[in-house]
């Protein structure tokens, strides 16, 4: 029996077995497979079982439905092992879990997809770090070189001014 396994961080490992010929996907509780994410529409799409094919149908969702990065405008077949994205929530279609020689289910590895910066992280702002470990490769740079260049620049400027004053006073 095929199932959808969510891969997006925060939903990792959640899965939904496709038992019925028609299953709805969306943010609202009345969906067969609820995904409570802001990028998922309240009634985002449908998963249809047609023989051996799993068909994904978009229900005019706001943020779209994508199979392997290509937008589903009406409906499209989702092959086993391929990914589908509802808004920004990624899922993979898997066949029923294979069993090993012992009869136990063999679990595969699920990959976590990073989501980037979250809104609550933006509200915190930047954090100023003041203490660096002495052995850290990110030590604060010394201003010694800057001061040497400033001193050399001041000496050169003074020499130029003195030379200009001497030239001007010698012409009078």
């Amino acid at each position: 029996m095929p199932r959808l396994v969510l891969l997006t961080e925060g939903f990792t490992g959640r899965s939904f077995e496709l038992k019925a010929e028609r299953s709805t996907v969306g943010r609202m509780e009345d969906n067969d497979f609820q995904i409570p994410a802001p990028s998922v529409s309240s009634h985002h799409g449908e998963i249809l079982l047609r023989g051996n094919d799993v068909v994904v149908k978009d229900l005019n969702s706001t943020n779209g439905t994508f199979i392997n990065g290509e937008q589903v405008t009406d409906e499209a077949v989702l092959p086993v092992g391929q990914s589908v994205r509802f808004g920004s929530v990624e899922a993979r279609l898997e066949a029923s879990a294979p069993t090993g020689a012992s009869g136990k289910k063999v679990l595969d590895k699920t990959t976590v997809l990073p989501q980037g910066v979250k809104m609550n992280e933006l509200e915190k702002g930047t954090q100023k770090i003041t203490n660096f470990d002495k052995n850290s490769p990110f030590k604060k740079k010394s201003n010694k070189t800057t001061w040497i260049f400033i001193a050399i620049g001041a000496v050169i400027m003074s020499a130029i001014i003195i030379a200009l004053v001497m030239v001007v006073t010698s012409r009078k």
Side-chain angles (χ1 to χ4, degrees):
M1 182 173 311
R3 64 186 174 137
L4 282 177
V5 177
L6 295 182
L7 305 174
T8 302
E9 186 177 359
F11 300 103
T12 306
R14 279 188 58 189
S15 67
F16 177 72
E17 293 211 19
L18 302 172
K19 298 176 185 175
E21 284 185 31
R22 178 185 167 275
S23 302
T24 57
V25 177
R27 191 177 65 244
M28 302 296 289
E29 292 178 7
D30 62 344
N31 288 290
D32 298 313
F33 187 29
Q34 181 190 15
I35 305 173
S39 67
V40 176
S41 295
S42 55
H43 296 96
H44 199 99
E46 292 179 336
I47 309 293
L48 309 167
L49 296 179
R50 291 189 184 148
N52 291 333
D53 289 336
V54 175
V55 178
V56 176
K57 182 176 182 180
D58 185 74
L59 297 177
N60 296 320
S61 61
T62 303
N63 294 316
T65 302
F66 300 84
I67 293 179
N68 295 325
E70 292 190 34
Q71 188 164 10
V72 175
T73 52
D74 183 33
E75 60 182 47
V77 174
L78 177 62
V80 173
Q82 301 300 307
S83 65
V84 60
R85 191 177 79 225
F86 303 102
S88 65
V89 177
E90 187 103 15
R92 180 178 58 230
L93 179 66
E94 296 181 351
S96 57
T99 56
S102 64
K104 293 184 178 180
K105 287 185 177 181
V106 177
L107 301 177
D108 64 356
K109 294 182 180 177
T110 301
T111 306
V112 176
L113 299 175
Q115 284 189 328
V117 179
K118 294 178 177 59
M119 288 302 289
N120 61 352
E121 291 173 349
L122 289 175
E123 293 169 358
K124 291 179 186 174
T126 58
Q127 297 176 349
K128 187 174 181 181
I129 300 172
T130 55
N131 286 345
F132 283 107
D133 182 15
K134 290 181 181 180
N135 297 325
S136 170
F138 302 105
K139 290 187 247 179
K140 185 177 178 182
K141 290 184 178 179
S142 168
N143 287 334
K144 190 175 185 180
T145 306
T146 304
W147 285 111
I148 291 172
F149 279 113
I150 291 173
I152 292 171
V155 169
I156 292 172
M157 286 300 290
S158 298
I160 291 173
I161 292 173
I162 291 171
L164 286 174
V165 169
M166 290 176 73
V167 168
V168 170
T169 55
S170 67
R171 288 189 175 191
K172 288 184 178 181

